[in-house]
Amino acid sequence: MNSNAQIIEKIREMEKLIASGAILDAPDNEPERQYYFMAKLKEYVAGVKERLGRALYACTKTFGCQMNARDSEKLEGILKVIGYETTESEKADFVIYNTCTVRENANLKVYGHLGLLSNYKKKNPDMMICMCGCMMQEEHVVEKIKKSYRFVDLVFGTHNIYKFAELLYDRVSQNSMIIDIWKDTDRVVEELPIERKFSFKSGVNIMFGCNNFCSYCIVPYVRGRERSREPEDIIAEIKKLAEDGVVEIMLLGQNVNSYGKNLENPMTFAQLLKEVEKIDGIERIRFMTSHPKDLSDELIEVMAASKKICRQLHLPVQSGSSRILKIMNRHYDKEHYLKLVEKIKKAMPDISLSTDIIVGFPGETEEDFEDTMDVVRKVKYDSAFTFIYSKRSGTPAAAMEEQIPEEVVKERFDRLLAEVQSGANERTARFEGQVKKALVEDVNTQLEGYVTGRLESSMVVHFPGDSSLIGKIVDVELTEAKGFYFIGKQREI
Ligand code: SAH
Ligand code: SF4
Ligand code: F3S
């Protein structure tokens, strides 16, 4: 029986206990308390389905990073258990927005969508709308929802996501808008149902929150203080995933390099990786994100010696200017970063590096920006995510004078993008003609008769094949480099 099936079985047992009268009220301990509410909701949803004479559909829209994507899988797990079918369409009976607020535009998108939803709800009075995620941790957002979006049914934040079933039960039994936001938490609730998006790969949270307070960033305010999961829980989860057929895992945290520091029995991230490596069935290990200030020699050694850890590292630089990096509170400078990259490349010459860069941080001069361009030229990233600085209220950078005019930022952004692209094209070409392992993820929707696989470097290759290959790791000759991707053909061995 797979891990999710075991949890579903426990929820069934809870249903029986409720039906027999052995359990009258919700238990206090977790996760049993949530199992109780899931059992109750199952009954409720069955009732609505009977009244309407049809199935009920739920749609989860996820914004933001991999942590949010993983959280959405947990929400979908609960929705499935209580009786909803999944759909991509927002004209559903249940719509959840799992929001991101790292940049202003992520935030604005959500309000645009909400307007649409109010129309759908007028046509379907049984529709439920739920808002959660990072945006909800901001007071002004919740105030706005309360005032201008009264049709929203349920609002909760990042710290109490494990209580989704309980909050939803409150909503259906009280019939009024439920809002529950916590400022922080030190709790990590395990053993809740999860509906994974992919059968063959999965994210695994190893820590939550962030303590770094980079001066531009809102994440520490909305995700709370850093908490590491116990290594035994992480290993147990990955073992179960491997039993379920998962071959690739991505260890997730805002700064994985500081994993384990606050555990009762401290453990380094490199030590955790060594344990994960031992798990049979797992063939590829990735992780993100690595903060350059905490990347240890031990980690480089473990990576270099590993057969399973992908030769890929996401190492956000944010800026190439030591002066700006100091104001950003990143705790490293240009020289340290370049030295680190050198060390990594020396240990793993085939490493694929990617990064995040912010353009237009307050006070950024042309000289500062040139330093960023210099780093891009020197490091030769395979890919880079470039962002225009976005002012997040409450962060120290938002109060800084000298915010950079839009046209200056735009012009620098375009120059950076051109540099990143030409560098990446050059980098991709180095693999042309080689045979590499690719994990087949999907059939290609644009090229008929092709599938899409992901290389260790995280780049994709399209090659002739069919759906029977999905989830398999195969050898592919990279016949043609096309900038950010490859065309290839499978090699039989
Ligand atoms: N914990 C990760 C990053 C998480 S946020 C790290 O430290 O590397 C993802 C990326 O969003 C960041 O790396 C940064 O480049 C970008 N970002 C964060 N705040 C931003 C802001 N206010 N404006 C523009 N980009 C921002
Ligand atoms: Fe934000 Fe910095 Fe934490 Fe990353 S390390 S989430 S950029 S505060
Ligand atoms: Fe966004 Fe929250 Fe992730 S703000 S980037 S979804 S941690």
Side-chain angles (χ1 to χ4, degrees):
M1 200 190 288
N2 69 29
S3 52
N4 219 26
Q6 281 167 3
I7 295 171
I8 291 167
E9 196 48 47
K10 287 185 193 164
I11 298 165
R12 281 214 188 95
E13 277 162 29
M14 179 61 81
E15 273 179 87
K16 282 185 205 147
L17 292 171
I18 297 172
S20 69
I23 287 192
L24 296 173
D25 297 314
D28 287 333
N29 49 319
E30 299 290 2
E32 288 73 16
R33 186 176 172 83
Q34 299 312 311
Y35 296 168
Y36 171 89
F37 289 110
M38 283 178 226
K40 288 290 215 182
L41 283 166
K42 221 170 146 179
E43 202 182 317
Y44 166 83
V45 172
V48 179
K49 284 202 252 188
E50 201 177 297
R51 172 165 57 81
L52 298 176
R54 62 173 177 86
L56 291 181
Y57 289 90
C59 165
T60 313
K61 285 274 167 234
T62 312
F63 301 83
C65 66
Q66 311 262 3
M67 323 282 160
N68 258 18
R70 186 65 178 155
D71 283 348
S72 286
E73 291 186 344
K74 295 175 186 169
L75 298 169
E76 284 177 341
I78 294 171
L79 285 168
K80 188 156 183 206
V81 161
I82 64 174
Y84 284 94
E85 314 284 328
T86 40
T87 173
E88 295 278 307
S89 163
E90 288 171 62
K91 283 185 187 157
D93 302 291
F94 198 110
V95 176
I96 306 188
Y97 284 160
N98 190 5
T99 60
C100 170
T101 188
V102 77
R103 287 169 291 275
E104 174 107 47
N105 52 5
N107 211 302
L108 293 175
K109 253 193 241 164
V110 169
Y111 291 121
H113 277 264
L114 266 182
L116 264 182
L117 286 195
S118 84
N119 291 330
Y120 297 157
K121 192 165 179 169
K122 279 180 199 139
K123 292 189 191 122
N124 177 5
D126 284 296
M127 182 178 183
M128 293 245 213
I129 300 170
C130 168
M131 308 282 292
C132 64
C134 296
M135 250 176 101
M136 302 305 124
Q137 293 296 136
E138 295 180 281
E139 242 165 70
H140 66 94
V141 171
V142 177
E143 282 311 310
K144 188 162 169 170
I145 293 173
K146 267 201 239 170
K147 204 165 139 239
S148 314
Y149 300 92
R150 294 294 313 166
F151 55 89
V152 171
D153 294 283
L154 173 58
V155 179
F156 57 94
T158 55
H159 304 300
N160 54 349
I161 187 163
Y162 75 87
K163 282 186 72 180
F164 175 44
E166 180 170 352
L167 294 169
L168 184 55
Y169 187 72
D170 287 350
R171 166 65 190 85
V172 299
S173 36
Q174 291 173 24
N175 207 15
S176 62
M177 191 193 241
I178 300 282
I179 298 179
D180 190 20
I181 311 287
W182 297 0
K183 285 250 172 300
D184 206 346
T185 185
D186 50 12
R187 276 201 97 144
V188 179
V189 176
E190 307 278 348
E191 300 273 303
L192 290 172
I194 292 189
E195 180 67 10
R196 274 187 286 112
K197 197 167 169 207
F198 300 98
S199 58
F200 49 86
K201 68 170 185 179
S202 178
V204 175
N205 299 106
I206 62 164
M207 58 206 298
F208 301 94
C210 181
N211 284 354
N212 289 303
F213 290 94
C214 302
S215 63
Y216 50 82
C217 184
I218 200 161
V219 170
Y221 305 88
V222 296
R223 284 272 171 178
R225 293 296 60 74
E226 194 176 285
R227 309 175 290 290
S228 294
R229 276 177 80 195
E230 290 295 338
E232 302 78 46
D233 290 334
I234 298 170
I235 301 295
E237 180 179 344
I238 300 173
K239 279 188 177 156
K240 283 184 187 160
L241 287 170
E243 282 164 22
D244 287 0
V246 167
V247 291
E248 178 177 307
I249 51 154
M250 164 89 85
L251 305 176
L252 299 173
Q254 291 299 353
N255 175 12
V256 292
N257 297 328
S258 70
Y259 170 79
K261 284 187 183 152
N262 303 321
L263 287 171
E264 216 171 297
N265 299 310
M267 179 184 212
T268 64
F269 178 54
Q271 282 166 337
L272 176 71
L273 278 173
K274 278 201 207 162
E275 293 307 310
V276 175
E277 172 112 17
K278 291 180 195 154
I279 301 173
D280 286 336
I282 297 298
E283 298 190 40
R284 280 181 166 183
I285 304 166
R286 300 183 194 274
F287 51 86
M288 77 184 293
T289 300
S290 268
H291 194 305
K293 82 178 161 72
D294 296 316
L295 197 145
S296 65
D297 290 352
E298 187 196 12
L299 175 65
I300 299 175
E301 264 168 46
V302 169
M303 272 185 93
S306 167
K307 294 213 162 42
K308 294 185 177 176
I309 303 171
C310 291
R311 294 282 194 270
Q312 175 227 347
L313 194 60
H314 186 62
L315 197 60
V317 66
Q318 312 299 359
S319 166
S321 153
S322 297
R323 190 184 77 83
I324 293 287
L325 284 168
K326 195 165 173 53
I327 312 172
M328 283 180 163
N329 197 29
R330 291 287 289 180
H331 296 281
Y332 56 85
D333 59 14
K334 180 182 179 187
E335 196 192 351
H336 172 90
Y337 186 90
L338 289 174
K339 272 203 184 127
L340 186 61
V341 166
E342 223 172 89
K343 208 166 13 172
I344 296 166
K345 283 185 174 168
K346 200 164 161 221
M348 293 167 280
D350 52 349
I351 190 90
S352 178
L353 291 168
S354 58
T355 199
D356 291 345
I357 299 170
I358 298 176
V359 181
F361 183 82
E364 182 187 75
T365 62
E366 183 55 30
E367 204 184 335
D368 293 322
F369 177 70
E370 270 307 323
D371 271 330
T372 301
M373 294 284 273
D374 189 44
V375 168
V376 170
R377 279 182 214 114
K378 287 196 168 115
V379 175
K380 301 197 189 309
Y381 296 106
D382 277 8
S383 66
F385 299 91
T386 49
F387 305 108
I388 286 182
Y389 167 73
S390 172
K391 194 169 166 176
R392 306 316 287 133
S393 54
T395 62
M400 287 175 193
E401 285 164 16
E402 281 195 88
Q403 302 279 333
I404 310 293
E406 215 179 301
E407 52 300 348
V408 177
V409 179
K410 186 83 192 47
E411 188 268 336
R412 285 180 192 161
F413 185 80
D414 290 344
R415 264 156 66 205
L416 177 66
L417 210 59
E419 188 63 52
V420 165
Q421 262 159 5
S422 81
N425 288 349
E426 217 179 278
R427 290 291 292 162
T428 321
R430 79 192 189 282
F431 290 140
E432 203 173 63
Q434 294 187 13
V435 176
K436 295 253 173 217
K437 295 216 176 296
L439 170 58
V440 181
E441 297 198 334
D442 217 341
V443 286
N444 196 302
T445 46
Q446 324 245 299
L447 286 167
E448 188 147 357
Y450 276 65
V451 289
T452 298
R454 198 167 291 276
L455 305 171
E456 212 183 307
S457 69
S458 215
M459 276 182 265
V460 294
V461 55
H462 309 298
F463 62 97
D466 60 40
S467 60
S468 67
L469 290 174
I470 292 176
K472 297 206 170 98
I473 296 181
V474 294
D475 285 306
V476 181
E477 183 181 342
L478 309 175
T479 46
E480 212 182 326
K482 294 265 198 187
F484 285 107
Y485 67 94
F486 294 95
I487 296 291
K489 60 172 186 266
Q490 195 183 342
R491 272 285 190 88
E492 303 297 338
I493 36 166

